[in-house]
Amino acid sequence: MPVTRRELREAEARARRRSVPAAAAGVLPPALRLLASRLWLSASDLAPTSRDLAVSLRSAALRTVSQALTSDRLAVPRVAVPAAVTSSLRAATTATVPASVRTVAAMTLTAALLGGGVAEVVNDGHVARQVAAQAAASRAAVAAAEDAALVENATLARATRTQAARLQGKAVSYAAVKRTEALAVARAVVAEAEAVAATAGPAAGPEALTPLDQARATLTAMIEAAPDPVVQAAALASPAQGAPTTPTDAVPATSPSAVPTVDLASEPVTALAPGSSTLEARADRPAARSQRAVSGEFTPPPAAGTTTGPTTPAASTAEQPAGTVPAVAEVPVVTSEQLAIQLTELDLGTSAQIVGAAQLVADLSAQVQATAEANLAAAAAAAEARAAAEAAASAAAQSQSRKASLATKAPNGQIPVELLCGVSFQRNVQLRCDAAQALEALNTAYRAAFGSSLQITSTYRSLDQQVAVKSLKGGLASQPGRSNHGRGLAVDFGNFGGVGQFTNPSYRWMKENGPAFGWYHPPYMGPGGTGPLEPWHFEFGKL
């Protein structure tokens, strides 16, 4: 079981009470032995009080230690001697002994007590100084640990912010690449759309060109509204007067531009004063430094042997490896807020919308181009068809003219069949070719007026057919060889009315419109004519 210091002192005091009177009995004279015995007994009676005095001395020593923790100066306290000690000493020294002996004994005992008290105080003061020194060393160690923790926290905070800035810079770079690509594609598409509108627009027509013009206007507005990374880079490359700049490190010759540096705010920490041992002077510093470390504003002091400030170009480029570009003089500092603004302005969604709008314009340009090509092809085909038709018509006209000339020279009723022409709206029609062509045009107008084609009952008659008709109709038929039917220039229509009936609508319309196409009703066959009065008989050309 451990023994306390107090118990050890009490044991030493008991041993002295038992041994000191016996030793004093063999040395002191009788009178002094009597005084010593009384004084010793008084000292024995004073043992509890002495212990109280020792406790007071220890309390004073503890106060001295506490004072050492808060001040650089050490003051030895004054210890008040208890009244019981004073009265006991006074009673012992006033016993019935010679005055000289009493005086010597009192002085001896007083000196012993005071010497022991002073030794105890000196010993406790030495202990207090040791404790104060240990406390100062502990404070220094705690301060050093705090500084180390703050340095580590600040370094970690700066590293975190730097990494975040690098990632943000990479995001800005990626967004800038996408925006640059989107704007390049959009501008190229707009230029192509303008060329298509200028060249193919007239052939494509308004219906195909209007959607392209609208989409092109929308894309142009998006290009003008979207921030251009090239413009932003030019703005950053020309900082305002007084703007902070920082040197950049060398980058590989084939690598893209370095990520812009970030301006991280920092505040140096005040160094501790040498030999400082007070707590009050630094009571508020850990919390403030911790707050700066959390916010990333704490900057550790430079390591021993390092220098601060800008380095010279020669020092920065002396040991550069091959394949790197020497560091440029200065580049503008780009803050995190500027990077965030750039990232917002270079939004990937906006770039995607620009690309989508450009794709729409490209599709519409292709449609306009295809429509124009199709229209041009159709126009070319139509022109070719018209040319072919015209050529065919010209050839047919020449053929018909030739046939008509030959048919005119042939005797009545003896025109070769191959020199005669038919019509498209009825079979078995044979007329001189120029008369057949005029009848085609006349039938088109008649069909427009009545909704049906003309009905033809008789056209060209050979000489034998004229003989047969004459024998059948008698006076209603011309002499064979003199009828216009034998020349391929006469037509008999059906549903035009009977002999002498000139009220039929078809007859009236033909009488009025036929001459415009070269077909006439012979006057001698009309109302008041010499006859025969045939409303159905019409002849081609002026006879």
Short mmCIF file of all heavy atoms in Angstrom, two decimals, residues 289-321:
data_model
loop_
_atom_site.label_atom_id
_atom_site.label_comp_id
_atom_site.label_asym_id
_atom_site.label_seq_id
_atom_site.Cartn_x
_atom_site.Cartn_y
_atom_site.Cartn_z
N ARG A 289 -7.42 31.04 -35.06
CA ARG A 289 -6.66 30.31 -36.05
C ARG A 289 -7.44 29.12 -36.58
O ARG A 289 -7.38 28.79 -37.76
CB ARG A 289 -5.32 29.84 -35.46
CG ARG A 289 -4.33 30.98 -35.26
CD ARG A 289 -2.91 30.43 -35.16
NE ARG A 289 -2.78 29.47 -34.08
CZ ARG A 289 -2.40 29.76 -32.85
NH1 ARG A 289 -2.10 31.01 -32.54
NH2 ARG A 289 -2.29 28.84 -31.92
N SER A 290 -8.20 28.44 -35.69
CA SER A 290 -9.01 27.30 -36.15
C SER A 290 -10.06 27.76 -37.13
O SER A 290 -10.34 27.10 -38.13
CB SER A 290 -9.67 26.61 -34.95
OG SER A 290 -8.67 26.12 -34.08
N GLN A 291 -10.68 28.93 -36.85
CA GLN A 291 -11.68 29.44 -37.77
C GLN A 291 -11.07 29.75 -39.13
O GLN A 291 -11.65 29.47 -40.18
CB GLN A 291 -12.32 30.72 -37.18
CG GLN A 291 -13.41 31.32 -38.06
CD GLN A 291 -14.59 30.38 -38.19
OE1 GLN A 291 -14.83 29.58 -37.29
NE2 GLN A 291 -15.30 30.46 -39.30
N ARG A 292 -9.84 30.35 -39.13
CA ARG A 292 -9.19 30.63 -40.41
C ARG A 292 -8.81 29.35 -41.12
O ARG A 292 -8.84 29.27 -42.34
CB ARG A 292 -7.95 31.51 -40.18
CG ARG A 292 -8.29 32.91 -39.71
CD ARG A 292 -7.09 33.84 -39.90
NE ARG A 292 -5.92 33.36 -39.17
CZ ARG A 292 -5.65 33.68 -37.90
NH1 ARG A 292 -6.49 34.45 -37.24
NH2 ARG A 292 -4.57 33.23 -37.30
N ALA A 293 -8.43 28.34 -40.36
CA ALA A 293 -8.05 27.07 -40.99
C ALA A 293 -9.25 26.41 -41.64
O ALA A 293 -9.16 25.84 -42.72
CB ALA A 293 -7.42 26.14 -39.96
N VAL A 294 -10.41 26.47 -40.95
CA VAL A 294 -11.62 25.87 -41.52
C VAL A 294 -12.02 26.58 -42.80
O VAL A 294 -12.42 25.97 -43.79
CB VAL A 294 -12.76 25.90 -40.49
CG1 VAL A 294 -14.08 25.51 -41.13
CG2 VAL A 294 -12.43 24.97 -39.34
N SER A 295 -11.90 27.92 -42.79
CA SER A 295 -12.29 28.68 -43.98
C SER A 295 -11.26 28.65 -45.08
O SER A 295 -11.47 29.18 -46.15
CB SER A 295 -12.57 30.13 -43.59
OG SER A 295 -11.40 30.74 -43.10
N GLY A 296 -10.09 28.05 -44.82
CA GLY A 296 -9.07 27.96 -45.84
C GLY A 296 -8.21 29.20 -45.97
O GLY A 296 -7.47 29.35 -46.93
N GLU A 297 -8.31 30.14 -44.99
CA GLU A 297 -7.56 31.38 -45.07
C GLU A 297 -6.23 31.31 -44.33
O GLU A 297 -5.47 32.26 -44.34
CB GLU A 297 -8.40 32.52 -44.50
CG GLU A 297 -9.70 32.74 -45.27
CD GLU A 297 -10.54 33.81 -44.63
OE1 GLU A 297 -10.14 34.27 -43.54
OE2 GLU A 297 -11.57 34.18 -45.22
N PHE A 298 -5.95 30.22 -43.64
CA PHE A 298 -4.70 30.11 -42.89
C PHE A 298 -3.61 29.64 -43.82
O PHE A 298 -3.77 28.69 -44.57
CB PHE A 298 -4.90 29.12 -41.73
CG PHE A 298 -3.63 28.89 -40.93
CD1 PHE A 298 -3.24 29.80 -39.97
CD2 PHE A 298 -2.84 27.78 -41.16
CE1 PHE A 298 -2.09 29.59 -39.25
CE2 PHE A 298 -1.70 27.57 -40.44
CZ PHE A 298 -1.32 28.47 -39.47
N THR A 299 -2.50 30.31 -43.80
CA THR A 299 -1.35 29.96 -44.62
C THR A 299 -0.18 29.63 -43.70
O THR A 299 0.19 30.45 -42.86
CB THR A 299 -0.95 31.11 -45.54
OG1 THR A 299 -2.08 31.45 -46.34
CG2 THR A 299 0.22 30.73 -46.43
N PRO A 300 0.41 28.45 -43.81
CA PRO A 300 1.52 28.11 -42.93
C PRO A 300 2.72 28.99 -43.22
O PRO A 300 2.92 29.44 -44.34
CB PRO A 300 1.80 26.65 -43.28
CG PRO A 300 1.30 26.48 -44.65
CD PRO A 300 0.11 27.38 -44.75
N PRO A 301 3.54 29.25 -42.18
CA PRO A 301 4.75 30.03 -42.41
C PRO A 301 5.70 29.27 -43.31
O PRO A 301 5.67 28.04 -43.37
CB PRO A 301 5.31 30.23 -41.00
CG PRO A 301 4.75 29.11 -40.20
CD PRO A 301 3.41 28.83 -40.77
N PRO A 302 6.57 29.97 -44.05
CA PRO A 302 7.51 29.28 -44.94
C PRO A 302 8.49 28.44 -44.16
O PRO A 302 8.87 28.78 -43.04
CB PRO A 302 8.20 30.43 -45.68
CG PRO A 302 8.04 31.62 -44.80
CD PRO A 302 6.73 31.43 -44.08
N ALA A 303 8.85 27.31 -44.78
CA ALA A 303 9.82 26.43 -44.13
C ALA A 303 11.18 27.08 -44.09
O ALA A 303 11.50 28.00 -44.84
CB ALA A 303 9.89 25.10 -44.88
N ALA A 304 11.99 26.60 -43.15
CA ALA A 304 13.33 27.14 -42.99
C ALA A 304 14.12 26.94 -44.27
O ALA A 304 14.08 25.89 -44.89
CB ALA A 304 14.04 26.45 -41.82
N GLY A 305 14.85 27.97 -44.67
CA GLY A 305 15.68 27.88 -45.86
C GLY A 305 14.96 28.22 -47.14
O GLY A 305 15.57 28.20 -48.20
N THR A 306 13.63 28.49 -47.07
CA THR A 306 12.89 28.84 -48.29
C THR A 306 12.77 30.34 -48.39
O THR A 306 12.85 31.06 -47.38
CB THR A 306 11.50 28.22 -48.28
OG1 THR A 306 10.78 28.74 -47.16
CG2 THR A 306 11.59 26.72 -48.18
N THR A 307 12.54 30.82 -49.58
CA THR A 307 12.40 32.25 -49.82
C THR A 307 11.04 32.51 -50.43
O THR A 307 10.47 31.65 -51.09
CB THR A 307 13.50 32.77 -50.77
OG1 THR A 307 13.40 32.06 -51.99
CG2 THR A 307 14.87 32.57 -50.15
N THR A 308 10.53 33.69 -50.20
CA THR A 308 9.25 34.08 -50.76
C THR A 308 9.47 35.16 -51.79
O THR A 308 10.53 35.77 -51.85
CB THR A 308 8.32 34.59 -49.65
OG1 THR A 308 8.94 35.71 -49.02
CG2 THR A 308 8.05 33.51 -48.62
N GLY A 309 8.41 35.42 -52.56
CA GLY A 309 8.51 36.45 -53.59
C GLY A 309 8.70 35.83 -54.95
O GLY A 309 8.93 34.63 -55.10
N PRO A 310 8.59 36.61 -55.99
CA PRO A 310 8.72 36.09 -57.36
C PRO A 310 10.12 35.63 -57.66
O PRO A 310 11.10 36.21 -57.18
CB PRO A 310 8.29 37.27 -58.23
CG PRO A 310 8.56 38.48 -57.38
CD PRO A 310 8.33 38.05 -55.96
N THR A 311 10.22 34.58 -58.46
CA THR A 311 11.51 34.06 -58.88
C THR A 311 11.89 34.69 -60.20
O THR A 311 11.05 35.09 -60.98
CB THR A 311 11.46 32.54 -59.03
OG1 THR A 311 10.47 32.23 -60.00
CG2 THR A 311 11.09 31.87 -57.71
N THR A 312 13.16 34.75 -60.46
CA THR A 312 13.64 35.32 -61.71
C THR A 312 13.43 34.35 -62.83
O THR A 312 13.40 33.13 -62.62
CB THR A 312 15.14 35.67 -61.58
OG1 THR A 312 15.84 34.45 -61.34
CG2 THR A 312 15.38 36.64 -60.45
N PRO A 313 13.29 34.84 -64.05
CA PRO A 313 13.09 33.92 -65.19
C PRO A 313 14.22 32.93 -65.33
O PRO A 313 14.03 31.79 -65.70
CB PRO A 313 12.97 34.86 -66.38
CG PRO A 313 12.51 36.17 -65.81
CD PRO A 313 13.14 36.25 -64.45
N ALA A 314 15.45 33.37 -65.08
CA ALA A 314 16.58 32.45 -65.23
C ALA A 314 16.47 31.29 -64.26
O ALA A 314 16.74 30.14 -64.60
CB ALA A 314 17.89 33.21 -65.02
N ALA A 315 16.05 31.59 -63.01
CA ALA A 315 15.94 30.52 -62.03
C ALA A 315 14.82 29.57 -62.37
O ALA A 315 14.88 28.39 -62.09
CB ALA A 315 15.74 31.12 -60.64
N SER A 316 13.73 30.07 -62.95
CA SER A 316 12.59 29.22 -63.24
C SER A 316 12.76 28.38 -64.48
O SER A 316 12.07 27.40 -64.67
CB SER A 316 11.32 30.07 -63.37
OG SER A 316 11.48 30.96 -64.45
N THR A 317 13.68 28.76 -65.35
CA THR A 317 13.84 28.02 -66.62
C THR A 317 15.19 27.36 -66.74
O THR A 317 15.53 26.85 -67.80
CB THR A 317 13.65 28.98 -67.80
OG1 THR A 317 14.65 30.02 -67.72
CG2 THR A 317 12.26 29.62 -67.78
N ALA A 318 15.97 27.37 -65.66
CA ALA A 318 17.33 26.83 -65.77
C ALA A 318 17.33 25.34 -66.01
O ALA A 318 18.14 24.83 -66.77
CB ALA A 318 18.12 27.17 -64.50
N GLU A 319 16.42 24.61 -65.33
CA GLU A 319 16.45 23.15 -65.39
C GLU A 319 15.22 22.59 -66.11
O GLU A 319 14.67 21.57 -65.73
CB GLU A 319 16.52 22.59 -63.96
CG GLU A 319 17.77 22.98 -63.18
CD GLU A 319 19.04 22.42 -63.80
OE1 GLU A 319 18.95 21.36 -64.46
OE2 GLU A 319 20.09 23.03 -63.65
N GLN A 320 14.72 23.25 -67.12
CA GLN A 320 13.53 22.77 -67.81
C GLN A 320 13.90 21.60 -68.71
O GLN A 320 14.89 21.64 -69.42
CB GLN A 320 12.92 23.87 -68.66
CG GLN A 320 12.26 24.97 -67.84
CD GLN A 320 11.61 25.99 -68.73
OE1 GLN A 320 11.74 25.88 -69.95
NE2 GLN A 320 10.95 26.96 -68.14
N PRO A 321 13.06 20.52 -68.67
CA PRO A 321 13.32 19.38 -69.55
C PRO A 321 13.00 19.72 -70.99
O PRO A 321 12.30 20.68 -71.28
CB PRO A 321 12.37 18.30 -69.01
CG PRO A 321 11.27 19.06 -68.38
CD PRO A 321 11.91 20.30 -67.81
#
